[in-house]
């Protein structure tokens, strides 16, 4: 599949507590004390994450203590200025779809390790948001489905997984199927809806219960022209001012569909979901206009996707764990349960939450099955 880079050329915007400023480099222009604190916090996170194995986070010397804390406690200890707190809050919200107080510090550090650090996970150029698919991300799924043909059975969600001495029976809406082994590659929230016979091991079942799914609403404004580019803006915004935590230029690869994309995440997404559509639309347009001028109030089309309401994921972009969950359940994350093997992006040791992580997890689970089948 063809990819193209996210548009990053031009002036960027930082909006902290309603104060908007522009900058050109990868790091906003802030005061000397802010900059020193930001660099110190990023360096600390890099040092601490280097001690955490993504294969076994609990193997770290400080693991038990880190898993008792949330990211908010870590931030309160080490972040000294309001502006740096705002930037860290925005990063955590976008990466996890959650508030810092919700996420285990150990899980946070393990996740950073798998994605190359907080800066790489947050940035577009050279970072996690660098590339987009020309035909959209679903093009990958459609391409794989075309190769597999009628072996892909749609509109048949699984209901029950039964293991016996001969193999596995999966009951689904269209009937049943039998296999020697099964790979489950679903978000934890969806796995919880399956019935297992025999039941899953207690630690595995409780790990699934502890997972929470990120809260994210994706908002798009389509325009007649990319007027922000004409004005010298990249379209990139980092903010702790509602409703958006980040904004990107989401124009199509050929420039024919100019678009701005905003992510509403964490507590703001939970609150925003209860507003009337007219109010959400008005808030989004006003936010874009605050950054890019009056033309942003006049999209030719307004679109949004509330991933919290999506039936087959329950949220976005990733499942995360609260304090204490890794201490009791980390060993069960990838361990097979009899003839049931686990994939899905949450089980990846690199780029969990991304397509790269999903592919790595799928390859690992397939290798496990092939070994068992001889």
């Amino acid at each position: 599949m063809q990819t193209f880079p996210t548009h990053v050329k031009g002036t960027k915007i930082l909006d902290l507590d309603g104060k908007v400023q522009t900058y050109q480099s990868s790091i906003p222009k802030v005061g000397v004390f802010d900059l020193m604190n930001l660099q110190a916090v990023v360096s600390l996170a890099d040092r601490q994450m280097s001690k955490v194995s993504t294969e076994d986070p609990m193997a770290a010397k400080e693991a038990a203590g880190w898993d008792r804390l949330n990211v908010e406690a870590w931030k309160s200890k080490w972040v000294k200025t309001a502006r740096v707190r705002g930037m860290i809050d925005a990063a955590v919200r976008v990466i996890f779809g959650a508030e810092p107080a919700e996420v285990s510090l150990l899980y946070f550090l393990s996740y950073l390790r798998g994605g190359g650090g907080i800066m790489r996970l947050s940035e577009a150029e050279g970072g996690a948001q660098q590339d987009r698919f020309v035909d959209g991300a679903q093009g990958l799924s459609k391409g794989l489905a075309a190769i597999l043909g009628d072996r892909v059975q749609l509109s048949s969600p699984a209901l029950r997984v039964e293991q016996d001495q001969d193999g596995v029976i999966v009951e689904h809406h269209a009937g049943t199927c039998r296999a020697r082994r099964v790979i489950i590659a679903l978000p934890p929230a969806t796995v919880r809806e399956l019935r297992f016979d025999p039941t899953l091991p207690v630690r595995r079942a409780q790990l699934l219960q502890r997972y929470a799914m990120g809260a994210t609403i994706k908002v798009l404004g389509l325009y007649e022209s990319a007027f922000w580019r004409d004005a010298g803006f990249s379209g990139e915004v980092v903010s702790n001012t509602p409703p958006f935590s980040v904004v990107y230029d989401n124009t199509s690869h050929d420039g024919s569909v100019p678009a701005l994309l905003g992510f509403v995440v964490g507590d703001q997404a939970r609150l925003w979901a209860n507003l009337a559509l007219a109010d959400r639309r008005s808030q989004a347009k006003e936010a874009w206009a605050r950054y890019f001028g009056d033309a942003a109030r006049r999209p030719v089309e307004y679109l949004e996707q509330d991933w919290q309401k999506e039936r087959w994921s329950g949220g976005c972009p990733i499942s995360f764990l609260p304090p204490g969950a890794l201490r009791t359940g980390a060993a069960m994350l990838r361990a097979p349960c009899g003839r049931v093997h686990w994939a899905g992006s949450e089980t990846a040791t690199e780029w969990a939450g991304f397509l790269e992580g999903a592919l790595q997890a799928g390859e690992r689970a397939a290798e496990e099955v092939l070994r068992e089948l001889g």
Side-chain angles (χ1 to χ4, degrees):
M1 290 183 61
Q2 288 185 312
T3 62
F4 68 105
T6 298
H7 181 76
V8 296
K9 183 179 179 181
T11 300
K12 302 174 186 179
I13 291 174
L14 177 67
D15 178 6
L16 295 180
D17 300 322
K19 182 178 180 181
V20 176
Q21 71 174 83
T22 60
Y23 64 102
Q24 298 287 337
S25 63
S26 59
I27 298 177
K29 290 186 295 184
V30 294
V32 173
F33 191 60
D34 287 325
L35 182 59
M36 290 174 61
N37 190 212
L38 178 60
Q39 290 176 332
V41 169
V42 170
S43 296
L44 174 65
D46 287 345
R47 290 196 305 274
Q48 290 179 329
M49 79 176 192
S50 69
K51 300 178 181 180
V52 179
S53 164
T54 56
E55 292 279 355
D56 182 11
M58 289 306 302
K61 181 179 179 181
E62 299 93 335
W66 285 341
D67 198 38
R68 285 194 292 267
L69 298 176
N70 58 30
V71 178
E72 181 66 29
W74 176 86
K75 185 191 76 176
S76 296
K77 180 177 181 179
W78 298 107
V79 180
K80 305 301 183 182
T81 76
R83 295 180 67 76
V84 177
R85 280 196 295 272
M87 287 186 276
I88 297 297
D89 284 344
V92 173
R93 288 167 183 156
V94 173
I95 292 169
F96 297 98
E99 299 298 315
E102 298 178 272
V103 184
S104 156
L105 176 57
L106 181 61
Y107 182 82
F108 172 75
L109 295 172
S110 175
Y111 195 88
L112 296 190
R113 177 72 182 271
I118 192 169
M119 296 302 294
R120 194 175 185 198
L121 282 165
S122 303
E123 292 182 337
E125 190 172 16
Q129 318 303 324
Q130 176 173 288
D131 294 318
R132 299 167 55 199
F133 288 112
V134 170
D135 295 322
Q138 195 178 19
L140 181 60
S141 301
K142 290 180 176 179
L144 291 171
I147 295 171
L148 294 169
D150 58 10
R151 286 175 288 181
V152 177
Q153 191 164 334
L154 301 177
S155 302
S156 304
L159 304 169
R160 181 171 176 270
V161 179
E162 178 184 349
Q163 298 188 63
D164 58 29
Q165 61 183 6
D166 297 318
V168 186
I169 299 172
V170 178
E171 178 184 340
H172 54 87
H173 273 297
T176 62
C177 60
R178 173 175 278 280
R180 293 167 65 186
R181 293 189 172 259
V182 64
I183 296 173
I184 295 180
L186 297 172
T190 307
V191 177
R192 290 198 295 263
E193 298 184 13
L194 295 174
R195 288 175 289 128
F196 291 88
D197 184 13
T199 58
L200 295 174
V202 170
R203 290 175 68 190
R204 174 72 205 191
Q206 292 196 343
L207 180 65
L208 288 171
Q209 292 167 10
R210 301 295 299 280
Y211 268 110
M213 200 73 188
T216 298
I217 302 174
K218 182 178 182 178
V219 184
L220 275 170
L222 309 184
Y223 294 90
E224 291 183 353
S225 67
F227 54 86
W228 57 93
R229 293 189 184 183
D230 297 336
F233 290 100
S234 68
E236 183 177 340
V237 180
V238 175
S239 171
N240 73 340
T241 305
F244 299 130
S245 287
V246 290
V247 174
Y248 289 111
D249 181 318
N250 204 61
T251 302
S252 60
H253 73 285
D254 58 3
S256 63
V257 185
L260 289 172
L261 163 67
F263 280 115
V264 186
V265 291
D267 282 348
Q268 186 62 28
R270 298 170 187 129
L271 294 171
W272 220 58
N274 295 318
L275 298 178
L277 174 60
D279 292 333
R280 299 197 302 270
R281 183 187 293 117
S282 175
Q283 287 189 21
K285 291 191 291 186
E286 287 304 309
W288 285 323
R290 187 163 71 249
Y291 304 136
F292 306 116
D294 187 61
R297 292 189 174 92
R298 297 185 292 276
V300 297
E301 190 169 359
Y302 173 89
L303 302 167
E304 60 180 50
Q305 170 66 46
D306 187 347
W307 289 100
Q308 302 166 101
K309 299 176 181 178
E310 212 287 315
R311 174 70 177 81
W312 304 114
S313 67
C316 182
I318 183 66
S319 298
F320 62 90
L321 288 169
L326 280 170
R327 180 176 58 84
T328 57
M332 299 301 296
L333 180 59
R334 286 174 287 274
C337 298
R339 298 175 182 271
V340 175
H341 299 258
W342 305 100
S345 190
E346 280 83 0
T347 69
T349 57
E350 294 182 5
W351 290 109
F354 293 82
L355 288 176
E356 289 86 350
L359 292 170
Q360 186 219 44
E363 290 174 349
R364 187 257 311 147
E367 289 171 358
E368 288 176 4
V369 171
L370 290 172
R371 284 198 302 269
E372 293 295 336
L373 296 178

